Amino acid sequence: MTTTHTEKNEQTEAGAYIDRVYQQVVERNPGEDEFHQAVREIFDALEPVFEAHPMYRKENILERMVEPERMITFRVPWVDDEGSVHISRGFRVQFNSALGPYKGGTRFHPSVNAGTIKFLGFEQILKNALTEQPIGGGKGGSDFDPKGKSDAEIMRFCQSFINELHRHIGPDTDIPAGDIGVGPKEIGYMFGEYKKLRGRFESGAFTGKAIEHGGILGRTEATGYGAVYFMKEMLKDYGQSFENQTVVVSGAGNVSIHAMEKAAELGAHVVACSDSRGFIYDKNGINIETVRDVKQRQGNSLSAYTAYHPDAEHHDNPSAIWQTACDIALPCATQNEISEEAAKTLTANNVKAVGEGANMPSTLQAIRTFQEAGVLFAPAKAVNAGGVAVSALEMAQNSSRLAWTFQEVDDKLQDIMKTIYQNSTQAAQSYDRSGDLASGANIAGFIKTADAMIKQGIV
Ligand code: NDP
């Protein structure tokens, strides 16, 4: 078990309470390691809050928060192009509705299990609170692997998934969006089936939709751009910027591509990115259009990049991307992609700042390594909150039946990311954790959610 900040010296009553609840989480949710990790990371920040406000303990707020309001698990039968029947497993966790209807993405990946969805859903509660939009926390997905499937197979899977899930979601109930393996195409298939079952055009029941049926301009770019806007604020506070910095960004999907694009636009030299099969290093700077072409249009491995840019190198091990020397590292692929060892290599290579574009990409030991080395560390729930923030704007646009321009959405996104940075910084300062943004984001999100829960009675 990891230790809380004060445990290192002497455990307080608040620390003992937090540890006891954490032990209960481990015992009551066996085998859900990623969920345990997400809970531990958040709990580690809360000791000073519980010391200052014993009321939270009296309300047993932590026990309430770690238990989802509802968890739905269901069978998803679907038929492939050869006529064979397959059974996937579907999940939706409706974790917390203190601030608004459940809101969170949908992940289709073979690694998905109940623990994955619960870790993502738990993080989503505080992330959504940080955006200051009226949205609660939820998450969903399936162990279905969209890779190598035809469009017809993906459509049939999405229709079967919604055939069950439709009864649990809606514009004022729970609003799914995309995540790994789920983009506007999959959202379109799910929305089409939902519309048929409901017999109504409830465009606000999903976000991340294509523009043609109620999507918002700028949602595709929002998570990656938002991550860079957040990092820009942080760097500015320390008298730095993206200008002439060497940047490494893992992943080659939605978040990664847009983070690379915005960082390059702000003058950074982006030299490496990765996918699940390896990473590329291009000393001339990653050509983002080629990455888009190879990954999104051709559906190839990143290794195809070198055919267009012969100076670039492809390496087979994706984790080895962190051996690339850089000033700023933006992990934008998946959970636990930065191990303690990778963090030590990055710090030995003098990385100045790390910004988590993906959800929980750094292990607890990696985060500690960065913090102890004085690296500027920006946590996922603040850095990648731009995606869900623009999803909330999409919901507002659908309700009002109005549409904003790309520039209007991007301006709002920049303001939201600035606010998240300021609120996280101030929360850290108020609770004696100055400069510790990971704690600040957890504290700010926790207080907002906990206060709303308490005002609604024992819920
Ligand atoms: P995508 O599916 O678009 O892209 C994921 C990318 O990561 C792919 O290029 C994939 O490679 C690569 N990848 C997967 N595993 C590894 C690995 N072990 N090492 C290196 N690369 C790997 O997903 P998103 O970009 O949407 O999501 C990325 C992360 O951001 C996730 O943690 C997600 O939860 C988070 N996030 C996403 C938001 C969004 O708006 N999309 C919002 C907030 C958070 P390959 O192509 O080979 O599979």
Side-chain angles (χ1 to χ4, degrees), residues 107 120 127 139 147 178-181 219 223 250-256 274-277 295 318 332-335 337 357-359 384 387:
R107 178 177 291 191
L120 290 163
K127 179 187 311 190
K139 195 82 189 191
K147 263 191 202 150
D179 190 76
I180 292 178
R219 173 62 186 91
T223 310
S250 63
N254 174 280
V255 180
S256 171
S274 57
D275 66 8
S276 61
R277 287 182 271 178
K295 291 297 299 177
C332 294
T334 193
Q335 62 265 26
E337 54 170 308
N359 282 312
N384 71 26

Short mmCIF file of all heavy atoms in Angstrom, two decimals, residues 107 120 127 139 147 178-181 219 223 250-256 274-277 295 318 332-335 337 357-359 384 387, ligand 1:
data_model
loop_
_atom_site.label_atom_id
_atom_site.label_comp_id
_atom_site.label_asym_id
_atom_site.label_seq_id
_atom_site.Cartn_x
_atom_site.Cartn_y
_atom_site.Cartn_z
N ARG A 107 -15.70 3.38 -23.95
CA ARG A 107 -14.46 2.81 -24.47
C ARG A 107 -14.72 1.41 -25.02
O ARG A 107 -15.29 0.57 -24.33
CB ARG A 107 -13.41 2.74 -23.35
CG ARG A 107 -12.10 2.11 -23.79
CD ARG A 107 -11.06 2.12 -22.68
NE ARG A 107 -10.60 3.46 -22.36
CZ ARG A 107 -9.55 3.73 -21.59
NH1 ARG A 107 -8.85 2.74 -21.06
NH2 ARG A 107 -9.18 4.96 -21.34
N LEU A 120 -12.24 4.85 -14.52
CA LEU A 120 -12.50 5.98 -15.41
C LEU A 120 -13.69 6.80 -14.90
O LEU A 120 -13.67 8.03 -14.91
CB LEU A 120 -12.76 5.49 -16.83
CG LEU A 120 -11.51 4.93 -17.55
CD1 LEU A 120 -11.91 4.09 -18.77
CD2 LEU A 120 -10.56 6.05 -17.98
N LYS A 127 -13.19 15.28 -12.44
CA LYS A 127 -12.85 16.02 -13.68
C LYS A 127 -14.02 16.90 -14.10
O LYS A 127 -13.85 18.08 -14.40
CB LYS A 127 -12.54 15.00 -14.79
CG LYS A 127 -12.19 15.62 -16.12
CD LYS A 127 -12.07 14.59 -17.22
CE LYS A 127 -11.18 13.43 -16.81
NZ LYS A 127 -10.86 12.54 -17.93
N LYS A 139 -19.25 6.55 -16.88
CA LYS A 139 -18.36 6.03 -17.93
C LYS A 139 -18.91 4.70 -18.39
O LYS A 139 -19.61 4.02 -17.63
CB LYS A 139 -16.95 5.84 -17.37
CG LYS A 139 -15.86 5.63 -18.41
CD LYS A 139 -15.35 6.93 -19.01
CE LYS A 139 -14.43 6.71 -20.18
NZ LYS A 139 -13.74 7.93 -20.59
N LYS A 147 -10.94 -3.05 -33.76
CA LYS A 147 -9.82 -3.17 -34.72
C LYS A 147 -10.05 -4.35 -35.66
O LYS A 147 -10.37 -5.45 -35.21
CB LYS A 147 -8.52 -3.40 -33.98
CG LYS A 147 -7.78 -2.12 -33.80
CD LYS A 147 -6.38 -2.38 -33.31
CE LYS A 147 -5.86 -1.13 -32.63
NZ LYS A 147 -4.94 -1.39 -31.59
N GLY A 178 -17.51 9.57 -26.68
CA GLY A 178 -16.47 8.64 -27.16
C GLY A 178 -15.32 8.49 -26.18
O GLY A 178 -15.27 9.14 -25.14
N ASP A 179 -14.40 7.60 -26.49
CA ASP A 179 -13.15 7.40 -25.77
C ASP A 179 -12.33 6.49 -26.69
O ASP A 179 -12.59 6.44 -27.91
CB ASP A 179 -13.40 6.77 -24.39
CG ASP A 179 -12.16 6.76 -23.49
OD1 ASP A 179 -11.80 7.81 -22.94
OD2 ASP A 179 -11.52 5.70 -23.32
N ILE A 180 -11.41 5.72 -26.14
CA ILE A 180 -10.59 4.83 -26.98
C ILE A 180 -11.52 3.90 -27.78
O ILE A 180 -12.43 3.29 -27.22
CB ILE A 180 -9.63 3.99 -26.10
CG1 ILE A 180 -8.57 4.91 -25.47
CG2 ILE A 180 -8.99 2.87 -26.91
CD1 ILE A 180 -7.60 4.21 -24.54
N GLY A 181 -11.31 3.85 -29.09
CA GLY A 181 -12.09 2.96 -29.96
C GLY A 181 -13.49 3.47 -30.30
O GLY A 181 -14.23 2.79 -31.01
N ARG A 219 -15.20 19.87 -30.96
CA ARG A 219 -15.18 18.77 -29.98
C ARG A 219 -14.04 17.79 -30.29
O ARG A 219 -13.36 17.31 -29.38
CB ARG A 219 -16.52 18.02 -29.94
CG ARG A 219 -16.52 16.74 -29.07
CD ARG A 219 -16.21 17.06 -27.60
NE ARG A 219 -16.05 15.90 -26.74
CZ ARG A 219 -14.89 15.27 -26.48
NH1 ARG A 219 -13.75 15.69 -27.05
NH2 ARG A 219 -14.84 14.26 -25.65
N THR A 223 -9.92 17.83 -26.54
CA THR A 223 -9.11 17.23 -25.47
C THR A 223 -7.62 17.55 -25.69
O THR A 223 -6.93 17.98 -24.77
CB THR A 223 -9.35 15.71 -25.38
OG1 THR A 223 -10.75 15.47 -25.33
CG2 THR A 223 -8.69 15.11 -24.16
N SER A 250 2.89 10.65 -26.49
CA SER A 250 2.58 9.24 -26.80
C SER A 250 1.18 9.13 -27.39
O SER A 250 0.35 10.02 -27.22
CB SER A 250 2.68 8.38 -25.55
OG SER A 250 1.72 8.80 -24.63
N GLY A 251 0.95 7.99 -28.10
CA GLY A 251 -0.32 7.77 -28.79
C GLY A 251 -0.28 8.38 -30.17
O GLY A 251 0.64 9.17 -30.50
N ALA A 252 -1.26 8.01 -30.98
CA ALA A 252 -1.40 8.59 -32.32
C ALA A 252 -2.89 8.60 -32.65
O ALA A 252 -3.30 8.38 -33.78
CB ALA A 252 -0.62 7.77 -33.33
N GLY A 253 -3.70 8.83 -31.59
CA GLY A 253 -5.15 8.86 -31.76
C GLY A 253 -5.67 10.28 -31.62
O GLY A 253 -4.92 11.26 -31.79
N ASN A 254 -6.93 10.39 -31.25
CA ASN A 254 -7.58 11.69 -31.20
C ASN A 254 -6.84 12.69 -30.30
O ASN A 254 -6.53 13.81 -30.72
CB ASN A 254 -9.04 11.50 -30.73
CG ASN A 254 -9.72 12.82 -30.51
OD1 ASN A 254 -9.54 13.47 -29.48
ND2 ASN A 254 -10.48 13.26 -31.48
N VAL A 255 -6.55 12.30 -29.06
CA VAL A 255 -5.95 13.25 -28.11
C VAL A 255 -4.53 13.60 -28.55
O VAL A 255 -4.14 14.77 -28.59
CB VAL A 255 -5.97 12.66 -26.67
CG1 VAL A 255 -5.34 13.64 -25.69
CG2 VAL A 255 -7.38 12.31 -26.24
N SER A 256 -3.77 12.58 -28.89
CA SER A 256 -2.37 12.78 -29.26
C SER A 256 -2.22 13.69 -30.48
O SER A 256 -1.43 14.66 -30.46
CB SER A 256 -1.74 11.41 -29.54
OG SER A 256 -0.48 11.57 -30.08
N SER A 274 3.61 7.66 -30.65
CA SER A 274 3.60 6.18 -30.61
C SER A 274 2.22 5.63 -30.95
O SER A 274 1.24 6.37 -31.00
CB SER A 274 4.00 5.72 -29.20
OG SER A 274 3.12 6.28 -28.25
N ASP A 275 2.15 4.34 -31.17
CA ASP A 275 0.88 3.63 -31.14
C ASP A 275 1.10 2.33 -30.38
O ASP A 275 2.16 2.16 -29.76
CB ASP A 275 0.28 3.44 -32.55
CG ASP A 275 1.09 2.53 -33.46
OD1 ASP A 275 2.06 1.90 -32.96
OD2 ASP A 275 0.79 2.45 -34.65
N SER A 276 0.11 1.40 -30.41
CA SER A 276 0.25 0.21 -29.56
C SER A 276 1.35 -0.72 -30.06
O SER A 276 1.72 -1.65 -29.37
CB SER A 276 -1.09 -0.53 -29.46
OG SER A 276 -1.49 -0.94 -30.75
N ARG A 277 1.88 -0.45 -31.28
CA ARG A 277 2.90 -1.36 -31.81
C ARG A 277 4.31 -0.78 -31.84
O ARG A 277 5.25 -1.44 -32.26
CB ARG A 277 2.48 -1.82 -33.22
CG ARG A 277 1.33 -2.82 -33.12
CD ARG A 277 0.90 -3.33 -34.46
NE ARG A 277 -0.12 -2.49 -35.05
CZ ARG A 277 -0.66 -2.68 -36.25
NH1 ARG A 277 -0.25 -3.66 -37.00
NH2 ARG A 277 -1.61 -1.87 -36.70
N LYS A 295 -2.56 6.70 -39.80
CA LYS A 295 -3.38 6.08 -38.74
C LYS A 295 -4.88 6.16 -39.06
O LYS A 295 -5.58 5.17 -38.97
CB LYS A 295 -3.12 6.76 -37.39
CG LYS A 295 -1.76 6.53 -36.81
CD LYS A 295 -1.46 5.09 -36.48
CE LYS A 295 -2.36 4.46 -35.46
NZ LYS A 295 -2.04 3.02 -35.24
N PRO A 318 6.56 0.41 -27.77
CA PRO A 318 5.97 1.75 -27.53
C PRO A 318 6.46 2.42 -26.25
O PRO A 318 6.63 3.64 -26.21
CB PRO A 318 4.46 1.48 -27.48
CG PRO A 318 4.26 0.01 -27.40
CD PRO A 318 5.52 -0.65 -27.85
N CYS A 332 -0.41 10.62 -23.94
CA CYS A 332 -1.78 10.77 -24.47
C CYS A 332 -2.31 9.46 -25.05
O CYS A 332 -3.15 9.48 -25.95
CB CYS A 332 -1.81 11.85 -25.57
SG CYS A 332 -1.46 13.50 -24.98
N ALA A 333 -1.81 8.31 -24.55
CA ALA A 333 -2.24 7.03 -25.12
C ALA A 333 -3.18 6.28 -24.19
O ALA A 333 -4.37 6.15 -24.47
CB ALA A 333 -1.03 6.17 -25.45
N THR A 334 -2.65 5.80 -23.04
CA THR A 334 -3.48 4.92 -22.21
C THR A 334 -2.99 4.90 -20.77
O THR A 334 -1.96 5.50 -20.44
CB THR A 334 -3.49 3.50 -22.85
OG1 THR A 334 -4.52 2.73 -22.24
CG2 THR A 334 -2.16 2.77 -22.68
N GLN A 335 -3.70 4.14 -19.89
CA GLN A 335 -3.36 4.13 -18.47
C GLN A 335 -2.05 3.40 -18.19
O GLN A 335 -1.71 2.43 -18.88
CB GLN A 335 -4.49 3.54 -17.61
CG GLN A 335 -4.84 2.10 -17.88
CD GLN A 335 -6.01 1.98 -18.85
OE1 GLN A 335 -6.25 2.86 -19.65
NE2 GLN A 335 -6.73 0.87 -18.79
N GLU A 337 1.02 3.97 -18.72
CA GLU A 337 2.04 3.88 -19.77
C GLU A 337 3.39 4.45 -19.30
O GLU A 337 4.42 4.19 -19.91
CB GLU A 337 1.58 4.54 -21.06
CG GLU A 337 1.13 5.98 -20.87
CD GLU A 337 0.91 6.70 -22.18
OE1 GLU A 337 1.81 6.70 -23.01
OE2 GLU A 337 -0.17 7.31 -22.35
N GLY A 357 -2.36 13.80 -20.86
CA GLY A 357 -3.50 13.90 -21.79
C GLY A 357 -4.39 12.69 -21.68
O GLY A 357 -5.61 12.77 -21.82
N ALA A 358 -3.79 11.50 -21.45
CA ALA A 358 -4.58 10.27 -21.28
C ALA A 358 -5.08 10.20 -19.85
O ALA A 358 -4.68 10.99 -18.98
CB ALA A 358 -3.72 9.05 -21.59
N ASN A 359 -5.97 9.25 -19.56
CA ASN A 359 -6.44 9.03 -18.19
C ASN A 359 -5.48 8.13 -17.43
O ASN A 359 -5.20 7.02 -17.90
CB ASN A 359 -7.85 8.43 -18.22
CG ASN A 359 -8.90 9.47 -18.51
OD1 ASN A 359 -8.92 10.54 -17.90
ND2 ASN A 359 -9.77 9.18 -19.47
N ASN A 384 -6.88 16.87 -19.21
CA ASN A 384 -7.70 16.40 -20.34
C ASN A 384 -9.19 16.70 -20.17
O ASN A 384 -10.02 16.15 -20.89
CB ASN A 384 -7.45 14.91 -20.62
CG ASN A 384 -8.01 13.97 -19.56
OD1 ASN A 384 -8.95 14.30 -18.87
ND2 ASN A 384 -7.43 12.78 -19.47
N GLY A 387 -12.09 17.99 -23.16
CA GLY A 387 -12.99 17.17 -23.98
C GLY A 387 -14.39 17.17 -23.41
O GLY A 387 -15.37 17.49 -24.09
P1 NDP B 1 -7.78 6.76 -29.56
O1 NDP B 1 -8.38 5.41 -29.64
O2 NDP B 1 -8.17 7.78 -30.57
O3 NDP B 1 -6.18 6.67 -29.58
C1 NDP B 1 -5.43 5.91 -28.68
C2 NDP B 1 -4.02 5.84 -29.23
O4 NDP B 1 -3.16 5.28 -28.25
C3 NDP B 1 -3.91 4.96 -30.47
O5 NDP B 1 -3.00 5.57 -31.36
C4 NDP B 1 -3.34 3.65 -29.92
O6 NDP B 1 -2.60 2.89 -30.86
C5 NDP B 1 -2.41 4.22 -28.86
N1 NDP B 1 -2.04 3.25 -27.84
C6 NDP B 1 -2.79 2.33 -27.21
N2 NDP B 1 -2.06 1.64 -26.32
C7 NDP B 1 -0.80 2.14 -26.39
C8 NDP B 1 0.41 1.88 -25.70
N3 NDP B 1 0.47 0.95 -24.75
N4 NDP B 1 1.49 2.62 -26.01
C9 NDP B 1 1.43 3.57 -26.95
N5 NDP B 1 0.32 3.87 -27.65
C10 NDP B 1 -0.78 3.16 -27.36
O7 NDP B 1 -8.09 7.28 -28.07
P2 NDP B 1 -8.12 8.77 -27.53
O8 NDP B 1 -7.03 9.54 -28.16
O9 NDP B 1 -9.51 9.27 -27.60
O10 NDP B 1 -7.81 8.53 -25.98
C11 NDP B 1 -6.48 8.46 -25.47
C12 NDP B 1 -6.51 8.67 -23.96
O11 NDP B 1 -7.12 9.93 -23.66
C13 NDP B 1 -7.32 7.63 -23.16
O12 NDP B 1 -6.72 7.47 -21.90
C14 NDP B 1 -8.67 8.32 -23.00
O13 NDP B 1 -9.40 7.81 -21.89
C15 NDP B 1 -8.22 9.75 -22.77
N6 NDP B 1 -9.22 10.77 -23.00
C16 NDP B 1 -9.82 10.90 -24.22
C17 NDP B 1 -10.74 11.88 -24.43
C18 NDP B 1 -11.34 12.15 -25.78
O14 NDP B 1 -11.99 13.18 -25.93
N7 NDP B 1 -11.12 11.31 -26.78
C19 NDP B 1 -11.19 12.76 -23.33
C20 NDP B 1 -10.43 12.61 -22.11
C21 NDP B 1 -9.52 11.62 -21.96
P3 NDP B 1 -3.29 1.91 -31.92
O15 NDP B 1 -3.79 2.79 -33.01
O16 NDP B 1 -2.20 1.00 -32.34
O17 NDP B 1 -4.39 1.21 -31.18
#
